[in-house]
Structures are given as C-alpha cells and as structure tokens.
Amino acid sequence: MSENKLERIKCLIIGSGPAGYTAAIYASRADLKPVLYTGMEPGGQLTTTTEVDNFPGYPEGIDGPTMMIQLQKQAERFGTEVRMGMVTEVDFSTERGGIHKVCVDNTTWVEAETIIISTGATAKYLGLPSEQRLRGGGVSACAVCDGFFYKNQDVAIVGGGDTAAEEATYLANICNKVTMLVRKDEMRASKAMQHRVTTTKNIDLRYNTEVDEVLGEQVVEGLRMLNNKTGEKETIAITGLFIAIGHKPNTDIFKGKLTMDESGYVLTELKSTKTNIPGVFASGDVQDNVYRQAITAAGTGCMAALDAERYLGEVEAE
C-alpha cells in the first residue's frame, strides 16, 4: 500500500484494558474518533480475574471479563471503533505535529496523529503446570486485588523483593498466617522492608525455599515446598498462593523509540502521560510500576485522552 493511501487516524489507542478503554471513552466524547486495537489479550489482565471488588461503582463486585465487556460497550457507545489486532511495529515521528505510523499484525500500516499506549504489563509466574492450572482458583499475582478473599485463612507468597515484602505484610494484616518463600538465603528487599517482614509475627519466612507443587484440583488446597539446599520437601495447607516475583511491561516494540526505565516501563513527564515523543502518550501499567491497579490505570487512561486532545488543539492552533 502506498503511503498516500494509508488510513489516517486522529487518535489511535493500543491496548484494551481499563486504561485503553477509559482513554477511548474520553477520546470519543471529545470527538477524536478513536480507533482501539485490542492486542493479543482483549480486556487485559482483568479478564483472568474472577471477582473484582475494589473498583468503585460495583457495590456487589463484578467479575473481570464482564467488567471489561461493559467498558468496551461504553467506549463504543460514544463512537470508538474497536478492532481485533495487535500492533507489531511502530514508526514514530519526532516532530511536533508529525504523523506516526504503526503496523498491525505484521501486514497493515496505518497513520495516526496521536497515539495512546495502553499495552499493560504481564505478571511473571513460576511456570509450574499446577500453578497455571489454578490461576483464578487461588493462585494470584496481586495480593492487594485478591487478598481480601482469604481473610482469616492461611496463605503463601513467593518472592524476596520489596513488592513481595510489602504484599506479605499486607496479607499478614488480614490473613491468619502467611508463609513467605524466598529462593535465596537472603531477601532482595530494602532493609526497612525486611525489618517489617521479620517483625510481623504471623509471617513464616522460609529462605532457600521454592514451590515444588501447588496442590488442589479446582482450588488451591495446599503447597509442597522444596528446600533447595537440603532437598527436603514439606507440605502445608493453604487456600491462596500469591506470586510476587515481578512484572514485565509489554513494551518490546517500543524499545529504542521511547524513553524507558531499566525494567522497560515507559517514562512519562511529571503529572502527565506525555512520553519523549510528541503526540505519543502512555497510560496504565505500561508506565506504572508502583500501583498497578485497575482504578489507577483507568485514571491515567483519562489523563492520556485529555493530553491527546490538548496536544491536537495546540498543534492545530500553531
């Protein structure tokens, strides 16, 4: 396809989680005629979640897939065009008011005056078949999201960094007992976070310990642990297993094109969603390595649409 025949989009949204759909709602209401490409996982991480109890406006809670369908319908109601497809390559213009090009599914190129990146981040898992089978049945990568369901129960958490330490102490406040598995003979967490863990009475800290098997058919019923120094195995009864070994932002196609931190999260200007490229904005977990909640992702999606609208207005006035 020759360049003069490329489809021109005023606001292109890449990703379909809470950030992407919220950006679409605001952008379509601002008459930016947004086009949203869903990516490989339409609806994002929330489609792998059962009950969502901490998103405002749902007093009885809602399951993740239903919530994402409702967000999509709301975006479409105002004119967003939702397309199945994955952006596989980008060619950003570095000029203010420049036109950006993206390739979808390695075949089709389109042009965009503004782009909102909402590709999210993927939680890292251990890769055990039993762990994958029980995701959503007691295995979770977000203690803040799902910890409430295990109130007064025995749970376990895997990880030795600051996030794992923070989530372990969070769980200790609501759960009966928290067994914390650290693969090495020391934690990677800061001294302050280590102190919080070691001084919390109902956290059972196990060094040199890994998950050997997650037990249970439909839901988590127990955990078989392996001491990687002695080879000794031990089984404990738990109802929830939380994996806190990190997230990987879905930013591979933007490497070398957008400014990122050492972990691959897109860096945005303070109190905005602006990236180092004019007309390109980032929202949601792709630029948030701290909160990683649906509600904060939605908030930055709103910000990105407002930033895009203002950018287009300013460019037009120049």
Side-chain angles (χ1 to χ4, degrees):
M1 185 181 289
S2 60
E3 286 197 17
N4 60 354
K5 290 184 179 178
L6 289 182
E7 177 186 12
R8 176 72 62 87
I9 297 167
K10 188 178 285 289
C11 180
L12 175 67
I13 301 169
I14 307 174
S16 56
Y21 280 133
T22 303
I25 291 166
Y26 274 80
S28 52
R29 284 171 60 87
D31 202 28
L32 301 188
K33 299 177 175 56
V35 172
L36 181 150
Y37 280 100
T38 60
M40 285 185 66
E41 189 177 43
Q45 286 189 76
L46 274 189
T47 57
T48 64
T49 303
T50 48
E51 289 299 314
V52 178
D53 271 346
N54 55 2
F55 198 96
Y58 296 97
E60 303 302 321
I62 187 171
D63 68 88
T66 300
M67 179 180 168
M68 297 319 300
I69 290 170
Q70 291 182 357
L71 278 176
Q72 177 179 339
K73 287 180 177 177
Q74 188 174 359
E76 290 174 329
R77 173 188 162 204
F78 296 114
T80 299
E81 184 179 343
V82 177
R83 299 177 181 175
M84 300 295 288
M86 181 174 180
V87 172
T88 50
E89 189 178 344
V90 295
D91 180 12
F92 294 142
S93 170
T94 57
E95 296 180 9
R96 184 172 171 80
I99 302 302
H100 310 292
K101 298 181 180 70
V102 305
C103 184
V104 181
D105 295 330
N106 295 307
T107 56
T108 306
W109 284 88
V110 298
E111 294 181 337
E113 296 176 37
T114 59
I115 293 177
I116 296 174
I117 297 168
S118 306
T119 48
T122 303
K124 295 178 182 177
Y125 284 88
L126 302 171
L128 296 171
S130 57
E131 169 207 45
Q132 296 301 307
R133 179 171 52 81
L134 289 167
R135 281 177 61 179
V139 174
S140 168
C142 183
V144 176
C145 309
D146 301 326
F148 176 80
F149 300 113
Y150 303 92
K151 194 173 183 180
N152 299 322
Q153 299 176 40
D154 290 355
V155 300
I157 186 166
V158 180
D162 278 343
T163 298
E166 188 173 346
E167 294 199 344
T169 52
Y170 170 83
L171 290 168
N173 285 329
I174 54 179
C175 297
N176 179 53
K177 180 182 178 182
V178 180
T179 301
M180 185 173 185
L181 282 63
V182 178
R183 185 166 51 93
K184 298 183 178 180
D185 57 5
E186 61 180 5
M187 296 175 66
R188 291 182 293 105
S190 63
K191 294 298 182 184
M193 291 305 298
Q194 290 187 45
H195 180 71
R196 281 176 61 180
V197 168
T198 55
T199 56
T200 302
K201 292 182 179 179
N202 60 335
I203 294 179
D204 180 10
L205 183 58
R206 306 286 190 101
Y207 290 112
N208 299 115
T209 304
E210 301 177 27
V211 175
D212 185 60
E213 189 82 13
V214 188
L215 307 176
E217 289 301 319
Q218 302 298 321
V219 296
V220 173
E221 297 174 1
L223 185 70
R224 188 164 67 236
M225 304 179 296
L226 170 70
N227 185 302
N228 55 32
K229 266 197 168 180
T230 66
E232 183 183 351
K233 294 182 180 181
E234 180 184 350
T235 299
I236 58 172
I238 59 168
T239 53
L241 174 64
F242 296 89
I243 311 299
I245 57 175
H247 287 71
K248 182 184 183 300
N250 302 322
T251 56
D252 286 352
I253 64 168
F254 307 118
K255 285 181 178 174
K257 302 174 188 295
L258 295 177
T259 304
M260 304 178 185
D261 68 11
E262 64 276 6
S263 299
Y265 287 90
V266 176
L267 295 178
T268 52
E269 289 184 17
L270 186 64
K271 294 186 178 179
S272 84
T273 61
K274 299 174 184 175
T275 69
N276 61 299
I277 299 293
V280 177
F281 309 91
S283 64
D285 288 8
V286 77
Q287 52 85 59
D288 173 19
N289 65 352
V290 178
Y291 300 103
R292 292 194 294 262
Q293 298 298 301
I295 188 63
T296 51
T300 55
C302 162
M303 291 167 60
L306 294 175
D307 285 342
E309 180 187 6
R310 287 168 184 160
Y311 169 82
L312 286 169
E314 291 168 0
V315 167
E316 195 173 311
E318 289 171 357

